[in-house]
Amino acid sequence: MAIDMLGKRVKRVEDQRLISGAGRYVDDIKLQSMAHCAILRSPYAHALIRGIDTSKARLMPGVLDVMIGADIPYNPLPMAWPAGGSAGLRNNVNTPRALATDSVKWTGEGVAAVIAETPEQALDALEAIVVGYDPLPAVVDAEKATLAGAPQLHENAPNNIVFEWAVGDKAGTAAAVDAADVVVRQRLVNQRLIPNPMETRGDIGLYNPGTDEYTIWMSSQTPHIQRLLLAAFVMGVPEHKIRCISPDVGGAFGTKIFTYADYPIVLLASKRLGGRPVKWIEGRRENYQATIHGRDHITYLEVAGKRDGEVTAIRVKTFANLGGRLSTIGPGIPTTLYARVLSGCYRIPHVYAEVVGVYTNTVFVDAYRGAGRPEATYVIERAMDLFANEIGMDRAEVRRRNFIAPEGFPYENPSGLGTASGGAKIYIDSGNYEPAMDKALEMAGYAGIEKAKAAARARGKYLGIGQSSYLEVCGVAPSKWIGAVGEGWGAAMWESANIKVHLTGKVVITMGTQPQGQGHETTYAQIIGHELGIPMEDIVVQHSDTQGTPFGYGSYGSRTSSVGSTAAIKAAAKIREKARRYAAHMLEASVEDIEVEGANYFVKGSPEVKKTFQEIAFALDLAFDAPEGMEPYLDETAYYDTPNCTWPFGTHVALVEVDEATGQVELVRYVAVDDVGNKINPMIVDGQLHGGIVQGVGQALWEGAVYSDDGQLLSGSMLDYAIPRASWLPTLELDETVTPSPVNPLGVKGVGEAGAIASTAAVANAVNDALKPFGVKHLDMPLTPQVVWKAMQSTKGAQA
Amino acid sequence: MVAHVSLTVNGKPREVDVEPRRLLVQLLREDLDLTGTHVGCDTSQCGACTVHVDGKAVKSCTMLAVQADGTTVTTIEGMATAEGLHPLQAAFWEHHGLQCGFCTPGMIMAAADLLARTTEPTDAEIRHAIEGNFCRCTGYQNIVTAIRAAAVVMRTGVAAPSGAVQGGM
Ligand code: FES
Ligand code: FES
């Protein structure tokens, strides 16, 4: 009998190759006669292109081809998620071309591409291309870009406005704000981040002149969607003539969801070379200018309520910087994925949000780990602290008084998650917020915090504590809701799985999802081993290649464990059912009398009269004795469209110490209590939380993409952008509560983004708490020594 | 112009003709097909390219191939022996010290350098030793755990149980 691995800390299957240097990332792939591509990028943030002279570059050693925008017949890249959901809403859409033609909108926008025998020759030749630019004034700040007199980026977008979108009850919220005992107002900046997966992007294009087919190897989270978008919107090539392969992906965090200009460039380049493969690998500095950034909101917050701690209304106006042209789902992030979950885990009766999407002369902004939900969590969790401080109530107590009660589910929040015509609904289906908060506070020593603060003072440190009680939304769905409200990809959100059982009893699972380090090859094998009663070592998990895998929407938005796993379970159920029918035939019993236990199929009441799964697979594959009407072979595909999202939650608590002399912030302890439902592999869950938490801590304390006023990216390399290092961090302390999700059979929710969603607010709240003795109410992130020290100096010194 | 480089890589003598501007990491990846050593940046920050040159951890993107002439280089591909995985490789696996795996080869090489110098490192020493190696996936926690565990194995020959179970391969 196979050991059931579901729910266990199983060592990952994929690690064998990754710890041995045998992983295969795009840049590790070498094809016969491969040529190399390099892309010339604009040094100006905003300019008209007068002309491009490539004649010298063409004569450089090894150069095979040079392309400019005019050489590329393809359409502009698609934008698949306009801000939606209300009548008459207008999106003023401008998306990137493969290469800019008449103007550039940010430093780093691609202008020309060189194809050469070696990468070095391609880079050398870039320097020989002469581009005539007429520089224009630039604007990088989303709020300033909407003001009169600001430089204008696009003719169809007056005042640089992409859209003005609103959700919630405007009048009701206004009345609640007016009637409140207390209203706290604060401007909050959620700074721009550079996601920094350790593997940059890259691709290899290969055109087959014999079949007129295109293959692209890409470091992507969404090979199927890329095939669809490239075919339907960019290249005008039928979908079945494109094949997308995503090999090992070295981290992604959202950045590798999208359609990028280099895809059509390498494919066209290969065609122009008669079918030689063409590789493009993004440099790190290039990654900072060619791959999406995240966050970048300016929010005017009003939080209103009663002196007894009840929050009665939240109203925000948010300027969301979307960059110089729109990335694939850029507008969807600050609308649906942000404003619709703004009230988090609180029962706030009135919520109203206005979001202005704005063009600026910066890199496009799109989904970065958490995508909208970290921004929402930051707003609501700062709001809770600001409100508590204003009314002089304990910050945890204010949260406690406003939590949706455990008996308050299903809960439809007032910013409109539940509403859709046609009966499709999204609502918060379950939760139990207090136990997670209590556990986290207890672990963090919240009760004794005043004593600890005094002790820290004696050492020249200001101790601060901050919490973040977050609500996450995983696996945004169902397709029906997305279709009804006009929000989402403009595409469905189901997932697929195929299971094949070979004659020898070995099993191949083929998934439409696409890992980037999450260990899918392990977790799906755990699940299917459990479902079919077979050992994990008899299972192999495949994905990542549009040829031979069922269509799938890929992996992002923490959707794999809830949506993908359920598709896999459905496929396994079909396999089991067919095996059961065949077992009945073999055992000369009726199907109803066959019971299944693990891999054993036996006649009810007589477990000794049995056939094993492997025996059944063998016989059914041979089909020497198949009954009339039964197809040979065990091969089943299932598609799963989840009826609702899943709703992880939890409380994270950060303790920081601020150095009196330098303003240096040290994260001294970090406690996280998360409820992600049941766990397929707790070791992998912990790993996802660790990584997410540290990314969020990075935003609170160190990270930030900085542009000069004229649009130069000052944090333009890893030298200038502060990625968290091992020595800056304490050991994270994790614990859990478990409230299984009611929407899927495993009771799982998803965990890819929870850490990043929760941690930024917890740490920011802690630093602001530490600075309370200085009269500080709010400081914007990143809370670097410079920011903190300045704030400490601007007051007369600590009052405590 | 072509320069000739003779070096020993993972125990094998190698002779390579390179352009003078070729970096050691390019020699390893492009000329010798040792693609386990990765490139994560262009400013010598990330450490994904860390290898051992004459026994010391070096970021192979900071060294010209010609500077490696006459040296002995070990890459991640040279860490396992006939007896099996290096204790660091085994510990990274056992303790989930990797997710996407892109930083992992460099991380293991940096850690091996530490453990050659210090047999009983504290967590602070471990965190300091891998300061020049970025990992964006793991938050470093399980990497630190893995290095600590590998140190114990290398010192005592015994691995402490982690609670993880072996799945299929
Ligand atoms: S490639 Fe980043 S340090 Fe060498
Ligand atoms: S495991 Fe992905 S960067 Fe470290």
Side-chain angles (χ1 to χ4, degrees):
Chain A
M1 177 96 181
I3 304 167
D4 189 351
M5 293 292 186
L6 185 63
K8 300 219 162 69
R9 302 176 73 86
V10 179
K11 287 169 65 177
R12 300 197 324 168
V13 174
E14 35 283 88
D15 289 4
Q16 169 85 21
R17 65 176 185 272
L18 301 179
I19 54 177
S20 310
R24 218 163 149 71
Y25 306 89
V26 168
D27 196 20
D28 301 338
I29 297 170
K30 291 178 191 172
L31 302 177
Q32 192 68 38
S33 78
M34 192 159 69
H36 298 267
C37 172
I39 297 173
L40 182 68
R41 300 187 177 280
S42 166
Y44 294 104
H46 197 191
L48 298 175
I49 298 174
R50 247 187 298 109
I52 305 174
D53 181 356
T54 62
S55 55
K56 281 217 183 68
R58 288 177 189 280
L59 301 174
M60 297 278 289
V63 171
L64 300 164
D65 196 6
V66 182
M67 296 192 292
I68 62 170
D71 296 324
I72 300 189
Y74 304 145
N75 294 315
L77 303 183
M79 194 282 288
W81 191 342
S86 54
L89 179 73
R90 198 181 134 83
N91 282 264
N92 302 317
V93 176
N94 296 278
T95 65
R97 296 194 69 93
L99 291 168
T101 46
D102 51 350
S103 66
V104 288
K105 305 300 185 195
W106 75 89
T107 52
E109 186 167 8
V111 179
V114 173
I115 320 299
E117 296 289 350
T118 70
E120 293 78 15
Q121 288 170 335
L123 284 170
D124 286 348
L126 291 187
E127 291 178 23
I129 297 175
V130 183
V131 185
Y133 292 104
D134 283 334
L136 298 169
V139 62
V140 298
D141 176 289
E143 192 178 9
K144 288 183 188 152
T146 62
L147 301 177
Q152 299 291 300
L153 271 74
H154 301 283
E155 268 174 26
N156 70 346
N159 301 320
N160 299 310
I161 289 174
V162 185
F163 58 79
E164 287 175 291
W165 182 90
V167 71
D169 172 7
K170 186 175 186 179
T173 305
V177 171
D178 292 344
D181 298 348
V182 182
V183 182
V184 186
R185 297 187 167 85
Q186 182 62 53
R187 183 180 190 268
L188 303 169
V189 177
N190 196 302
Q191 83 273 28
R192 175 181 285 249
L193 301 177
I194 302 179
N196 275 296
M198 289 310 299
E199 180 207 25
T200 59
R201 292 186 316 98
D203 15 85
I204 304 171
L206 176 64
Y207 174 72
N208 182 338
T211 58
D212 199 25
E213 286 170 358
Y214 296 84
T215 301
I216 181 167
W217 286 260
M218 51 191 1
S219 185
S220 173
Q221 299 171 242
T222 55
H224 293 276
I225 292 181
Q226 292 322 310
R227 179 182 57 176
L228 172 64
L229 296 180
L230 281 171
F233 299 109
V234 183
M235 299 184 57
V237 172
E239 197 175 352
H240 60 284
K241 293 282 191 187
I242 300 180
R243 175 181 178 189
C244 296
I245 303 170
S246 194
D248 281 330
V249 175
F253 314 115
T255 62
K256 297 174 180 175
I257 300 174
F258 313 115
T259 306
Y260 285 100
D262 34 281
Y263 301 165
I265 290 174
V266 294
L267 288 172
L268 179 64
S270 175
K271 185 173 189 179
R272 285 163 60 115
L273 293 183
R276 281 185 71 176
V278 174
K279 181 191 261 188
W280 171 78
I281 297 296
E282 189 181 52
R284 177 59 63 183
R285 279 172 294 178
E286 192 175 24
N287 171 265
Y288 282 20
Q289 306 203 327
T291 290
I292 64 109
H293 292 175
R295 319 280 189 254
D296 206 341
H297 287 192
I298 297 167
T299 293
Y300 289 87
L301 161 74
E302 292 167 284
V303 50
K306 301 185 186 156
R307 296 225 165 256
D308 69 359
E310 187 191 340
V311 176
T312 52
I314 294 272
R315 184 163 62 186
V316 302
K317 175 159 187 172
T318 294
F319 294 89
N321 194 338
L322 296 175
R325 307 183 199 267
L326 300 179
S327 172
T328 315
I329 62 170
I333 309 307
T335 52
T336 304
L337 294 178
Y338 161 74
R340 286 194 177 278
V341 289
L342 199 57
S343 48
C345 48
Y346 306 105
R347 193 178 26 75
I348 299 172
H350 300 283
V351 178
Y352 179 69
E354 274 176 24
V355 181
V356 186
V358 185
Y359 288 114
T360 65
N361 297 107
T362 59
V363 172
F364 34 31
V365 175
D366 209 319
Y368 167 51
R369 201 171 196 170
R373 291 146 292 163
E375 296 90 317
T377 304
Y378 182 68
V379 169
I380 190 69
E381 288 303 296
R382 282 299 295 136
M384 286 290 156
D385 269 28
L386 289 163
F387 182 73
N389 289 343
E390 183 67 27
I391 63 171
M393 186 177 278
D394 176 71
R395 292 173 291 158
E397 185 55 30
V398 168
R399 287 173 170 83
R400 193 184 306 281
R401 292 192 183 188
N402 290 284
F403 278 149
I404 305 162
E407 58 282 359
F409 300 97
Y411 178 76
E412 289 183 27
N413 78 17
S415 51
L417 270 176
T419 49
S421 58
K425 260 189 190 187
I426 292 184
Y427 51 87
I428 305 171
D429 57 20
S430 61
N432 192 3
Y433 305 137
E434 270 194 81
M437 182 174 84
D438 288 339
K439 197 179 219 181
L441 293 175
E442 161 87 40
M443 283 167 72
Y446 191 70
I449 200 67
E450 290 310 322
K451 247 169 109 185
K453 281 184 177 179
R457 279 296 293 118
R459 290 184 282 111
K461 307 279 186 190
Y462 288 87
L463 177 70
I465 190 164
Q467 77 173 85
S468 166
S469 295
Y470 72 98
L471 177 70
E472 148 76 312
V473 194
C474 297
V476 171
S479 304
K480 214 177 177 183
W481 180 82
I482 289 165
V485 301
E487 295 181 42
W489 275 108
M493 290 292 261
W494 42 261
E495 215 26 88
S496 63
N498 170 271
I499 300 180
K500 288 183 173 59
V501 186
H502 292 321
L503 185 133
T504 53
K506 307 296 180 200
V507 172
V508 181
I509 311 169
T510 310
M511 299 298 304
T513 49
Q514 166 66 46
Q516 316 115 45
Q518 300 93 330
H520 294 184
E521 290 163 42
T522 308
T523 47
Y524 283 130
Q526 288 179 260
I527 293 166
I528 298 307
H530 168 83
E531 291 293 318
L532 298 179
I534 56 176
M536 273 182 74
E537 49 270 33
D538 284 359
I539 302 171
V540 69
V541 180
Q542 297 182 338
H543 42 69
S544 310
D545 185 344
T546 57
Q547 178 167 304
T549 59
F551 191 97
Y553 283 88
S555 292
Y556 44 85
S558 306
R559 65 192 299 275
T560 301
S561 64
S562 68
V563 193
S565 296
T566 309
I569 286 175
K570 276 188 73 182
K574 288 186 181 179
I575 293 276
R576 219 172 30 236
E577 200 38 45
K578 184 165 176 186
R580 189 163 162 250
R581 278 193 287 133
Y582 197 66
H585 171 70
M586 291 171 90
L587 295 168
E588 298 180 350
S590 74
V591 180
E592 299 71 50
D593 288 341
I594 301 296
E595 287 203 348
V596 186
E597 242 179 61
N600 292 328
Y601 293 66
F602 56 86
V603 178
K604 211 178 269 174
S606 7
E608 65 294 345
V609 188
K610 65 161 190 192
K611 292 287 172 190
T612 64
F613 180 70
Q614 290 79 1
E615 287 171 320
I616 299 166
F618 182 83
L620 195 48
D621 282 16
L622 285 178
F624 291 164
D625 181 33
E628 219 29 61
M630 186 181 281
E631 291 175 7
Y633 202 57
L634 284 169
D635 177 352
E636 299 287 350
T637 302
Y639 298 87
Y640 176 68
D641 198 1
T642 185
N644 194 1
C645 316
T646 57
W647 305 91
F649 61 86
T651 292
H652 289 203
V653 182
L655 279 91
V656 300
E657 282 183 5
V658 177
D659 188 274
E660 182 168 45
T662 64
Q664 178 88 32
V665 178
E666 190 191 348
L667 180 63
V668 289
R669 280 187 68 199
Y670 195 93
V671 170
V673 176
D674 293 279
D675 192 319
V676 298
N678 293 332
K679 296 175 185 177
I680 299 163
N681 184 332
M683 187 166 80
I684 289 179
V685 169
D686 287 354
Q688 290 295 313
L689 286 166
H690 292 154
I693 289 167
V694 168
Q695 282 183 0
V697 171
Q699 172 167 26
L701 296 181
W702 308 299
E703 295 182 35
V706 181
Y707 277 99
S708 66
D709 286 342
D710 63 352
Q712 293 299 320
L713 182 59
L714 301 177
S715 56
S717 80
M718 269 190 180
L719 263 171
D720 315 295
Y721 186 89
I723 294 171
R725 295 170 190 249
S727 55
W728 299 351
L729 297 155
T731 300
L732 311 171
E733 303 163 53
L734 305 189
D735 209 329
E736 62 174 7
T737 64
V738 181
T739 313
S741 166
V743 302
N744 60 59
L746 287 174
V748 298
K749 296 180 185 171
V751 68
E753 298 162 295
I757 289 169
S759 64
T760 302
V763 175
N765 282 343
V767 176
N768 279 292
D769 181 54
L771 296 175
K772 234 194 241 167
F774 293 86
V776 169
K777 286 199 169 134
H778 173 80
L779 285 185
D780 282 325
M781 305 178 292
L783 298 160
T784 58
Q786 192 186 14
V787 169
V788 171
W789 188 83
K790 260 199 205 150
M792 291 163 83
Q793 306 316 305
S794 65
T795 61
K796 289 232 173 67
Q799 291 123 39
Chain B
M1 206 176 82
V2 168
H4 187 77
V5 181
S6 312
L7 72 178
T8 303
V9 180
N10 298 333
K12 279 196 210 119
R14 310 295 298 246
E15 307 282 331
V16 192
D17 287 328
V18 296
E19 261 193 90
R21 64 173 165 179
R22 202 149 189 77
L23 301 171
L24 176 58
V25 67
Q26 294 169 320
L27 176 145
L28 294 170
R29 288 182 53 83
E30 307 302 331
D31 299 314
L32 302 182
D33 276 334
L34 293 167
T35 54
T37 301
H38 297 151
V39 176
C41 73
D42 40 21
T43 51
S44 295
Q45 300 295 299
C46 76
C49 63
T50 307
V51 300
H52 291 180
V53 177
D54 291 334
K56 288 217 161 51
V58 167
K59 290 181 176 177
S60 61
C61 73
T62 62
M63 194 169 171
L64 291 166
V66 291
Q67 292 176 292
D69 188 43
T71 65
T72 296
V73 174
T74 307
T75 71
I76 188 69
E77 289 92 342
M79 290 300 272
T81 62
E83 281 83 71
L85 295 172
H86 185 280
L88 273 162
Q89 292 174 307
F92 269 65
W93 194 356
E94 178 79 24
H95 295 275
H96 189 29
L98 62 147
Q99 291 180 25
C100 77
F102 199 80
C103 72
T104 311
M107 205 59 95
I108 287 176
M109 300 312 287
D113 181 274
L114 168 74
L115 298 187
R117 288 180 278 116
T118 322
T119 56
E120 224 169 319
T122 62
D123 278 12
E125 284 169 328
I126 293 171
R127 286 179 182 274
H128 179 70
I130 58 169
E131 202 170 39
N133 292 72
F134 290 159
C135 174
R136 195 61 159 168
C137 295
T138 64
Y140 304 102
Q141 183 131 329
N142 288 346
I143 291 176
V144 174
T145 307
I147 296 171
R148 199 194 310 121
V152 174
V153 173
M154 289 168 74
R155 223 167 45 235
T156 65
V158 189
S162 73
V165 288
Q166 182 71 52
M169 263 310 299

